[in-house]
Structures are given as structure tokens and as C-alpha cells.
Amino acid sequence: MRLLASLLLLASIESLTLANPAPRVGKHLRPVIEKRQSFDQGEPIDGKGKGAPILGGTNKQLDLQNPDNLAAQSTDNGVVPNLKWSFSDSKTRIFAGGWVREQVVTDLPSSKDIAAAQQHLTKGALRELHWHRVAEWGYVYNGSVRVSAVDEHGENQVDDLAVGDIWYFPKGQAHTIQGLDDQNEYLLAFDDGNFDATGTTFNVDDWIAHTPTDILAKNFGVNESVFKTIPTPDPYILKANVSSPNVTSPYGKLQGNSSYVYHLSQHPVPPAPGGGGTLAIVDSRNFPIATTIAAAIVTLEPRGLRELHWHPNAEEWLYFHQGQARATVFLGGALARTFDFTAGDTAVFPEDSGHYIENTSDTEKLIWIELYKSDRVADISLTQWLALTPPDIVASTLKIPLSVVSKLKKEKQSLLAAPK
């Protein structure tokens, strides 16, 4: 039956092509709808004589979600490794009070700089007291949370974060997170793709449970019996009542340039150059403590485009929070591959690789987060580079009219609005 259905589909496509011949325009200018009509039905057929139906086993839903994996983009070329992972493909660990699912280097081998997780806490639930050998970055996208932390000087911070707010804990700093609303969820990121390696995360009750009780008694100045109820194994996430934020340190608070929290929700974000959305950059220039993870939170209007660019200082890790997108990554040496994205997907674009991101929806905004293992967000705009290069050089190199080069904008157009 599948063979018959596929042959019927192929026949219908061929008859459609014969009945509606392509307009006589350049091969690179033919309407996008013609080029993608077969791919959008989940079959690798370009309607121009290349490809054939899939007759073996396949996941039709994945094929429909990823037409560019079926060779929909004729400009793709060569062997480019997979640069995409979906949190929906991750193993979810559930606990009393929440859940977590990760994306680490074993899931997405190309992501060497950044590992990430989605984590959920119910009201009062705690991500237990812990620390890491790597830095932790967090972004609240639902509910609200309370973070608390202490540094090596004994200075502390207890702060409440709303949707849009960010925290950053430098490597080795003791901290915890608690849910304040009925349901709370956030993105976590770490500045090492191999986050699950031994010796990366240290939970306090795990340590205490594996320390002799006489040593614990001597250390804390209490009776050994106090430690009979230490949980084993450590719970990771546990239920609790909402804590009191009233704790002060004799050594002072982590505030100002030392603060571990950036309240982006309190900072209005102006439209980005190009008129296609907003781009909020949070890095060490406005969040001084965040020296190893720089971030951009991006909202792109329907059919808008994150302009062609590259990043000279780090690979780009992405989390798509809302909407649907397409991006082509250029690795040099005629190597290029196009990927399709939906909410919950992550991706990594190698350092210095050229790329764009397009919102492929006609109605829905595209929201994503860009992260870099760097102290700052940096990008080089292709259009700006060409506009600020002697125009005759650009025209000669690309074989385009000088008049076209002279009209290129000299200012970055980070987020381009859809043509009207």
C-alpha cells in the first residue's frame, strides 16, 4: 500500500508539473512554492526530474517537519555534520517537585562549548543545594524562581526572578533554585558541552551522606544523630515550602557588578536595526559577572530574517522557544546545509560559520536564545562588510552591478522585516 501511495504521489506531482510548466525565469529565481511543493509533502522529489519517493521505513512526521533534510535547498552541498537536537529527544528525569531534560555533547557532538537543560519546579520545590566545576547560566521563561548563592568571601545573594530574568553563577559557587509560582520553568546552560562528566556537579546532601558521621559532628559542632535522616541517594529536586528571603551575611551582599542576577524584565528592549523584531544582548558589558557566557534573546517577526552574519569569537548555541525557523550554515569550502527548527529545538553553529535565521511562519513570532562561550556577543554582518569595502572590489568579486553595491546599507540590519 505504501509503494502504491508513493507511486501515485509521484505521478500526481509529474502531472502537476506538466499541466503547470515553470515560468521562464532564471533557475535561481523560480518561485519557492514550486521548488518546495514535494518536499513539504515529505518526499525527496524536486519536481524537476530529481529524486523519488521514499519506499522504505521512515518517520513521516519528522520528514514533514524537516523538508530541508530531504534536499529541499539546491544550494546545500557536501557533508555537513548534524547541528541540531530537540529536547523532545532527550531523556526526561522526573522527581517529586519537577523534572529535567538535558542536551549534552553526547547528544549533539558538535556542541563542545555549551550544554543545556530545561528544568521545571513546582511551588516550593528546590533544585537542591549544589555547585559545579563549570559556570551556570539560567533564563526564566515561565513562572518565577528564587535563587540563593554564596561566594568564597561569604557574601551572599537571595533574589527573586520573573519571566525574562537571567542568573549566572561562576564556576564553583554554591547555590540553589526554588519555584515560587504553581509551575515554574527555565533554561539552564553551562560553559562545557561535556556537562555529564564525572566531577562536574556536587550536591550537598550527597557529600554529607558519604562523609563519616563523627567527622560531620566535629565539623558542625552537633551530635552524630543529627545526620541519621540525610537522604540517600540525593533527591536532586525535592518538595519544600517557599523559603524566607530574610538571610543576611556579616560580609555583605552580592550586588552591583558582583550580582549574580540580571533583571532583563525591568529593561525595555528597543526594536533592532532592520525593523524585524527585538534583540536583547546580556553579556559582561551590562552583566559584569557573566564572563564566560554571553547571551542574546531574540524575537523575530513573521517572515523576518536574522541577516547573513558570522561570529568571530565563539560557536553559537541556540534554543528555539517559540515558532518555526529555517537556517543555512556555511562552513567554507563549498560546504553548506539547511536545517528546519521548531519550538524545543537546540542547535550549534560552528565558530566563524556563515549563517542566517528565517522565521518561516506567516503569523507567529519566532523567539530564540543565542549563547556564546565568551564575555561578549559579537557578530560580523555580511551586508555591512560589503557596504564598507570599496564598491568596485565588491562588484568585481561578485559580478554584480556597481549600482547595487552602492545601495547596500552601511549600518547593521540585524533583524530584517519581511518585504511588504
Side-chain angles (χ1 to χ4, degrees):
M1 291 298 292
R2 177 170 177 78
L3 174 60
L4 177 59
S6 298
L7 291 175
L8 289 172
L9 172 63
L10 180 58
S12 66
I13 291 169
E14 289 177 343
S15 63
L16 178 63
T17 302
L18 291 172
N20 299 278
R24 293 183 178 276
V25 294
K27 64 179 180 179
H28 298 301
L29 300 177
R30 289 181 179 172
V32 172
I33 188 171
E34 175 197 333
K35 183 174 69 172
R36 300 188 67 88
Q37 61 187 1
S38 308
F39 302 108
D40 289 341
Q41 295 177 36
E43 297 288 354
I45 305 169
D46 70 357
K48 294 177 288 184
K50 289 185 179 181
I54 298 173
L55 304 181
T58 191
N59 186 321
K60 193 68 174 181
Q61 290 304 312
L62 282 180
D63 293 337
L64 291 169
Q65 289 176 21
N66 298 278
D68 288 295
N69 277 351
L70 301 174
Q73 289 295 337
S74 61
T75 50
D76 284 2
N77 187 66
V79 178
V80 175
N82 180 48
L83 304 176
K84 170 184 172 181
W85 179 264
S86 173
F87 275 126
S88 295
D89 289 324
S90 299
K91 173 66 175 178
T92 303
R93 291 182 287 153
I94 59 174
F95 307 90
W99 55 261
V100 64
R101 57 184 185 180
E102 300 177 342
Q103 176 252 290
V104 295
V105 72
T106 49
D107 301 314
L108 185 58
S110 299
S111 185
K112 299 176 176 63
D113 285 355
I114 301 289
Q118 289 178 308
Q119 196 164 97
H120 189 107
L121 298 176
T122 57
K123 188 171 185 176
L126 292 165
R127 169 63 181 97
E128 63 169 309
L129 293 155
H130 64 286
W131 72 97
H132 308 288
R133 68 165 178 83
V134 297
E136 174 181 310
W137 182 97
Y139 176 88
V140 181
Y141 57 76
N142 190 277
S144 61
V145 300
R146 176 167 295 153
V147 300
S148 63
V150 179
D151 74 358
E152 68 269 29
H153 306 296
E155 295 178 318
N156 76 328
Q157 183 170 11
V158 180
D159 207 338
D160 294 349
L161 290 80
V163 170
D165 291 340
I166 292 168
W167 73 82
Y168 175 91
F169 298 134
K171 60 176 294 186
Q173 302 306 296
H175 61 276
T176 189
I177 308 163
Q178 184 172 48
L180 297 181
D181 290 356
D182 288 341
Q183 306 295 334
N184 312 276
E185 201 165 303
Y186 43 87
L187 178 72
L188 292 171
F190 308 91
D191 61 359
D192 187 341
N194 193 20
F195 179 71
D196 281 349
T198 300
T200 299
T201 298
F202 305 85
N203 296 317
V204 68
D205 48 6
D206 186 23
W207 185 18
I208 288 177
H210 293 91
T211 301
T213 55
D214 62 320
I215 298 298
L216 294 172
K218 185 180 293 186
N219 183 80
F220 293 110
V222 296
N223 191 280
E224 287 186 48
S225 62
V226 169
F227 302 102
K228 289 183 177 180
T229 57
I230 296 296
T232 272
D234 56 291
Y236 191 85
I237 290 174
L238 64 149
K239 287 185 175 181
N241 296 320
V242 174
S243 64
S244 167
N246 298 323
V247 57
T248 58
S249 168
Y251 303 101
K253 294 177 61 176
L254 291 162
Q255 56 188 349
N257 288 349
S258 298
S259 175
Y260 290 165
V261 172
Y262 184 83
H263 291 282
L264 180 60
S265 64
Q266 299 175 12
H267 297 266
V269 181
T278 61
L279 191 155
I281 292 176
V282 180
D283 59 20
S284 62
R285 290 169 290 189
N286 54 2
F287 189 21
I289 200 70
T291 56
T292 66
I293 298 181
I297 295 84
V298 189
T299 299
L300 185 60
E301 295 294 328
R303 292 294 169 185
L305 182 73
R306 174 73 169 96
E307 68 168 340
L308 289 157
H309 65 284
W310 71 92
H311 304 281
N313 59 331
E315 69 181 32
E316 176 180 1
W317 183 91
L318 305 100
Y319 159 70
F320 291 91
H321 183 65
Q322 174 186 300
Q324 57 191 46
R326 180 185 302 129
T328 300
V329 182
F330 168 64
L331 297 183
L335 297 173
R337 181 175 173 183
T338 303
F339 296 87
D340 302 286
F341 300 102
T342 58
D345 286 344
T346 70
V348 60
F349 299 158
E351 185 174 348
D352 288 305
S353 62
H355 57 277
Y356 66 86
I357 300 173
E358 181 187 20
N359 183 348
T360 55
S361 172
D362 292 323
T363 58
E364 186 178 21
K365 292 182 179 181
L366 176 67
I367 300 174
W368 77 91
I369 293 174
E370 305 172 1
L371 296 180
Y372 308 88
K373 188 176 180 178
S374 177
D375 63 340
R376 72 193 193 284
V377 175
D379 66 63
I380 296 177
S381 160
L382 174 60
T383 301
Q384 185 181 52
W385 174 38
L386 298 180
L388 296 176
T389 299
D392 55 327
I393 294 178
V394 177
S396 297
T397 301
L398 298 180
K399 301 296 186 289
I400 59 177
L402 197 61
S403 59
V404 172
V405 179
S406 65
K407 294 178 181 178
L408 296 176
K409 292 185 180 295
K410 296 180 179 179
E411 303 80 17
K412 283 185 181 179
Q413 302 295 299
S414 301
L415 302 178
L416 292 161
K420 295 182 179 179

